């Protein structure tokens, strides 16, 4: 293999973008493909803990993201009807303990900022991977638009419906968990008027609603639910209504009702998962993020795990090199599997921070402390 390997990454989600930026900085020749025709600003929020921010610091993104985001002091868990505090978990209130901020931000703004860390001439939108062939020397890629490419290493960052995973390990559909998520963004003024927490999760027995601001100025406020429901459509996202949200959260605290009353554009998403995958690579092809460990989103750590994978994979390729890829990828898997599987199982169980607990093992982690 040549001194500087040419690495193809399929999927420009958080994991793929992080991998592209980190590998470029490590000196690799990287090319990032995505099926979408262009970058689009998905209407949703995201939380990134200190464990991810310490990685984004290496891309000079920590300070600009911090300047744009809301910095919640606590994660508040509240009882659905009377608002009783079930847990108040310090986030930025204990920032010095974590050595990095905990941010909440618009997903589109985050993705756009992360993309700026990747050389623009190495990003190819409108490239849907149809198939690939690993002949032991290189990996040939074929895209739906008829174009082809050839890389030394292929990274699958193509999400829960990964085509690459399917080709490597056989077809196995992700499983609908019986839960869906409603999402909506409302004006921040509505939340400020009722004295909203910066970041709160309201829990009842079989459902919850998570509510947080998306920016430093508190101009936008985000609602995302987890609730049982039927899902019959084959697609990934559908439009929904304020009435459907009202129905699902009937009897919830007046503060939650005020948020729901202010919703306009409401969407719903199926929450799907898969069993942990025992192997994350074959030949010259390696998986990261949701392609190998998708989860229900209830720990707000799915994208975080994808970015951590990207950082550890970059370190393994840098430190261990590319001459014995099987050894390099086995080490990457060994370093990641326990943490990713633990987060996947707690997230799926939806127990995270419902009652007082110390989240340091998750947020306090720094993948750069790890011995490769
Ligand atoms: P994805 O983000 O799914 O990206 C995959 C990319 O691959 C896409 O851009 C897609 O277009 C592309 N692609 C797919 N197939 C092909 C193909 N054949 N050819 C070319 N391109 C292809 N995580 C957090 O860390 N914090 C949160 O607060 C949080 N909240 C969430 C809330 C909800 C309701 C949900 C559903 C998830 C949430 N998550 C959160 C989880 C997070 O969204 C995912 O874990 C994360 O997006 C996975 O990143 P990824 O890069 O592995 O894949």
């Amino acid at each position: 293999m040549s001194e500087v390997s040419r690495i193809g990454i399929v999927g420009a989600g958080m994991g793929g973008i992080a991998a592209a930026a980190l590998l470029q900085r490590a000196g690799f020749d990287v090319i990032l493909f995505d099926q979408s025709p262009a970058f689009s600003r998905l209407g949703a929020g995201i939380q990134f803990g200190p464990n991810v921010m310490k990685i984004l610091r290496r891309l000079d993104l920590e300070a600009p993201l911090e300047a744009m985001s809301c910095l919640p002091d606590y994660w508040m868990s509240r009882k659905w009807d009377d608002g009783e505090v079930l847990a108040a978990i310090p986030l930025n209130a204990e920032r010095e303990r974590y050595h990095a901020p905990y941010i909440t931000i618009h997903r589109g703004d985050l993705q756009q900022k992360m993309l700026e860390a990747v050389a623009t001439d190495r990003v190819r939108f409108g490239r849907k991977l149809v198939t690939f062939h690993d002949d032991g020397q290189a990996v040939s890629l074929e895209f739906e638009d008829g174009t082809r490419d050839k890389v030394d290493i292929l990274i699958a960052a193509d999400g829960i419906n990964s085509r690459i995973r399917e080709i490597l390990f056989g077809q196995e559909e992700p499983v609908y968990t019986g839960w869906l998520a409603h999402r909506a963004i409302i004006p921040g003024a509505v939340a400020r008027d009722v004295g909203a927490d910066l970041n709160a999760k309201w829990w009842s027995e079989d459902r919850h609603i998570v509510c947080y601001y998306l920016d430093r100025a508190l101009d936008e406020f985000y609602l995302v639910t987890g609730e049982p429901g039927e899902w019959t459509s084959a697609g990934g996202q559908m439009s929904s209504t304020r009435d459907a949200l009202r129905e699902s959260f009937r009897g919830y605290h007046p503060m939650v009702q005020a948020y729901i009353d202010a919703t306009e554009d409401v969407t719903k998403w199926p929450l799907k998962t898969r069993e942990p995958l025992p192997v994350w690579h074959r030949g010259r092809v390696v998986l990261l993020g949701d392609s190998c460990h998708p989860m229900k989103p209830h720990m707000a750590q799915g994208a975080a795990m994808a970015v951590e994978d990207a950082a550890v994979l970059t370190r393994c390729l840098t430190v261990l090199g590319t001459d014995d890829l099987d050894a390099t990828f086995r080490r990457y898997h060994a370093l990641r599997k326990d943490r990713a599987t633990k987060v996947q199982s707690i997230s799926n169980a939806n127990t995270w921070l419902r009652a007082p607990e110390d989240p340091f093992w998750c947020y306090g982690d720094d993948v750069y402390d790890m011995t490769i």
Side-chain angles (χ1 to χ4, degrees):
M1 193 180 294
S2 62
E3 282 257 308
V4 177
S5 299
R6 189 164 193 263
I7 302 183
I9 301 172
V10 172
M14 304 299 173
I17 297 173
L22 291 163
L23 285 163
Q24 269 177 2
R25 291 212 175 191
F28 291 95
D29 176 14
V30 178
I31 183 149
L32 175 63
F33 303 97
D34 200 279
Q35 64 190 355
S36 318
F39 171 74
S40 69
R41 195 173 185 267
L42 176 74
I46 189 160
Q47 318 194 34
F48 259 9
N51 51 321
V52 202
M53 296 307 285
K54 281 177 245 177
I55 298 169
L56 299 185
R57 178 182 295 161
R58 307 270 170 156
L59 297 170
D60 300 316
L61 291 172
E62 184 188 23
L65 286 172
E66 188 174 350
M68 296 159 67
S69 319
C70 179
L71 302 175
D73 44 1
Y74 288 86
W75 166 307
M76 302 297 293
S77 276
R78 290 189 178 273
K79 193 158 161 254
W80 64 288
D81 51 356
D82 60 8
E84 178 197 335
V85 175
L86 304 171
I89 310 292
L91 300 175
N92 293 298
E94 281 188 355
R95 183 196 169 129
E96 67 292 344
R97 188 171 173 234
Y98 292 110
H99 304 294
Y102 188 111
I103 67 167
T104 60
I105 187 168
H106 196 292
R107 200 177 258 261
D109 293 342
L110 173 67
Q111 203 160 353
Q112 173 82 66
K113 205 77 213 154
M114 285 177 67
L115 256 184
E116 285 170 21
V118 182
T120 42
D121 64 341
R122 310 308 288 159
V123 184
R124 306 274 186 280
F125 282 109
R127 294 287 183 84
K128 179 173 183 172
L129 185 81
V130 182
T131 193
F132 66 86
H133 177 63
D134 177 356
D135 67 5
Q137 302 300 313
V139 189
S140 315
L141 312 177
E142 287 181 32
F143 297 95
E144 197 178 56
D145 63 359
T147 56
R148 292 164 184 264
D149 215 316
K150 199 173 235 192
V151 292
D152 297 312
I153 294 168
L154 172 62
I155 298 178
D158 51 348
I160 188 167
N161 296 306
S162 173
R163 172 75 181 134
I164 298 175
R165 172 182 173 138
E166 187 178 280
I167 293 170
L168 278 187
F169 302 116
Q171 193 165 7
E172 175 220 330
E173 291 298 318
V175 181
Y176 178 56
T177 58
W179 277 48
L180 56 84
H182 273 106
R183 282 168 153 166
I185 295 176
I186 63 169
V190 173
R192 293 198 307 272
D193 282 352
V194 293
D197 299 311
L198 293 180
N199 190 4
K201 182 164 178 177
W202 298 75
W203 304 73
S204 55
E205 222 29 70
D206 72 341
R207 67 198 60 214
H208 62 256
I209 180 164
V210 177
C211 317
Y212 55 83
Y213 291 95
L214 300 180
D215 56 300
R216 182 58 69 86
L218 311 186
D219 281 339
E220 288 190 309
F221 194 71
Y222 176 59
L223 313 178
V224 56
T225 75
E227 52 189 285
E230 300 238 319
W231 197 274
T232 46
S233 149
Q237 169 195 354
M238 290 172 74
S239 64
S240 187
T241 61
R242 182 191 299 152
D243 284 346
L245 255 184
R246 273 206 187 109
E247 183 56 32
S248 260
F249 291 88
R250 189 190 292 278
Y252 262 61
H253 192 273
M255 204 180 256
V256 174
Q257 302 305 330
Y259 306 153
I260 293 174
D261 287 347
T263 57
E264 296 285 349
D265 191 10
V266 182
T267 53
K268 64 177 177 179
W269 304 67
L271 300 185
K272 295 185 179 177
T273 188
R274 293 177 189 266
E275 288 301 311
L277 190 63
V279 185
W280 292 4
H281 77 280
R282 181 168 288 168
R284 293 174 168 271
V285 185
V286 62
L287 279 65
L288 63 73
D290 275 10
S291 71
C292 50
H293 48 67
M295 60 190 83
K296 284 170 87 189
H298 309 317
M299 253 179 98
Q301 281 284 327
M305 289 303 108
V307 174
E308 286 190 4
D309 289 348
V312 175
L313 180 58
T314 301
R315 291 195 66 209
C316 288
L317 284 164
T318 307
V319 174
L320 305 175
T322 54
D323 287 342
D324 183 352
L325 275 181
D326 189 55
T328 297
F329 292 159
R330 268 192 282 116
R331 183 71 183 139
Y332 155 66
H333 180 238
L335 289 169
R336 289 299 299 153
K337 72 170 190 303
D338 287 352
R339 182 166 163 91
T341 306
K342 180 174 179 180
V343 169
Q344 192 180 23
S345 85
I346 296 174
S347 207
N348 286 344
N350 192 24
T351 50
W352 183 240
L353 308 185
R354 181 173 187 152
E357 66 178 297
D358 186 355
F360 192 79
W361 69 267
C362 180
Y363 302 151
D365 204 58
D366 184 345
V367 298
Y368 293 95
D369 289 342
M370 185 181 273
T371 304
I372 302 295

